[in-house]
Amino acid sequence: MFQRRNNPDLPNMEAAPRRDRPLFASHLLAFGLVVLAGCSVAPLPELKPPVPDAWRNAPAGVTPPSADLRGWWQALGDPTLDALIDRALRNNLDVAQAAERLRAARSVNHHSRDGYLPSLHGRTNDVIDPDTTASYFVVGFDAVWELPLFGAWQSAKRASQGQENSASAALRGARVSLVAEVSRRWIELRSAQEQARLLGGIRDALQEKLRLVQVREQLKLAPPVEVAKAQAELARAEAALAEPQQTIIASAQQLAVLLGQPEPDPEWLTPGPQPRLGEWQLTTAPADMLRTRPEIATAEADVLRAAGELGVSRADIWPHIGLGASLQWSTNILSNYRVHTGEAISSFGPIIDVPLFDWGQRVAAAHVKDHELKAAVYAYRQAVLQGVAEAETAMGDLEQLRMREDASQRAVAALDSSMAALRKRAELNLGSHLDVQDGLIENQRAQLELTSAIAARDLAYVSLYKALGGAPMPNPPVPAPKAPGTGSTD
């Protein structure tokens, strides 16, 4: 650095400088900085998601317009489920963690370029001469500004913006998973309660059948083997009751965890109507899956972050150029003889940090980041393929389960007519009460199959909208104030 010593006791030994030399040096420095600043960041890799032109497993006639995924669970027609999802979005701890991480990422992103702003350091020091004839108190200021050349400014912003986008996608993913999981657990809970009710009816009918068979056996109208068969059927029915009860307990406890509370609400354990899509059909297939699916948004954010890190590593290969200034003032605080007690020294000039012996290591680091960027692009393409596959599978499942539910509904309707006929014949003494119990058992089993079909279709509906990135999309839960003086992300 060029230093000038300001000492009023020293004579002015400098010759009159020529005025054109500083002007020429300033213009040369400015021209060099402009040229270096022109080495801007490399363009982002183009992302071409391999998506199909149309959904292969969507029902015939379904067109892919824009999708509105707000409140998709309301198609299940269960106000209690709507209230549970609202509570879960407010109280779930996973969502709260993701929101805090997003706030942290945004705070870092707002100051991502501060490292390339001028910095000022102040210091004080007591300097004692070796001859112990004087002691000086020194006050100084150092100012350094490393110029953000070779795309370092934009690359640092990209890397930080990628981190924020990734945190935002994580929050989105937490909300999507939460809504889907609450819906799934509630469907399983209500379906298990309905299954328990139907299995209880089958058990009661089998008990009555066993009684009738025992009477017939006492009257020598049925062999003992018929009694044994009826007893075995009753035992299997009683054993089958354990499975829905286990589902009820597990689903209720998981719902409590999802809502951020230690125990389930007592009213959950009271049987209620089963959520059902009813006449709902898939009439539109969302085409903007890439915008809403959190896994794809995360992969895209990773590409942006990797591109920023690559730019920073490439900029680190070249010399670091900056401007520096220093001002130091000292005074003699202890002396054995009278001397001048105040002096000031200032300096100003460019700072150049040239990598020499570690240059190869920096180049290798840049190559590493280049490969990581390519890997991030491949991961993005894989995320898109996975999203398309999950959506196609869910669409196919939903359509097949709709047909299964319709067939089960027709079976129940047919058995209801048959049951009415059996009861009428029993009233006219044209049929036995044993036939009535057999018909009742068959009818209850058909309703049990219908309950399972309804639950399977509901769960396929949940899986579809989870695959499409479905979740409530209200105003962002985390405010994103714009940092002063910031514009676009690059």
Side-chain angles (χ1 to χ4, degrees), residues 83-93 95-96 175 178 259:
L84 287 176
I85 290 177
D86 290 339
R87 286 173 57 188
L89 290 172
R90 291 193 306 267
N91 303 326
N92 181 261
L93 299 179
V95 172
R175 292 166 63 86
L178 175 63
L259 270 65

Side-chain angles (χ1 to χ4, degrees), residues 22-47:
L23 183 62
F24 174 76
S26 299
H27 288 173
L28 182 61
L29 178 61
F31 175 76
L33 295 180
V34 170
V35 171
L36 292 175
C39 302
S40 60
V41 66
L44 285 171
E46 185 177 0
L47 300 179

Side-chain angles (χ1 to χ4, degrees), residues 141-219:
F141 296 93
D142 293 325
V144 178
W145 179 25
E146 181 180 346
L147 302 179
L149 305 177
F150 307 106
W153 179 278
Q154 298 93 329
S155 297
K157 184 61 178 178
R158 277 183 180 177
S160 181
Q161 186 65 47
Q163 292 286 0
E164 179 181 337
N165 293 351
S166 180
S168 179
L171 175 58
R172 169 87 180 162
R175 292 166 63 86
V176 169
S177 298
L178 175 63
V179 173
E181 195 64 19
V182 170
S183 301
R184 181 178 291 109
R185 292 298 182 178
W186 184 250
I187 291 170
E188 291 175 350
L189 174 65
R190 286 305 193 208
S191 299
Q193 290 173 341
E194 180 66 13
Q195 290 171 348
R197 184 187 69 82
L198 293 172
L199 287 172
I202 293 175
R203 178 202 57 195
D204 295 341
L206 286 172
Q207 287 177 343
E208 179 64 16
K209 179 181 177 179
L210 175 61
R211 187 187 69 81
L212 294 174
V213 172
Q214 288 174 339
V215 171
R216 289 173 61 87
E217 191 267 340
Q218 292 173 0
L219 297 174

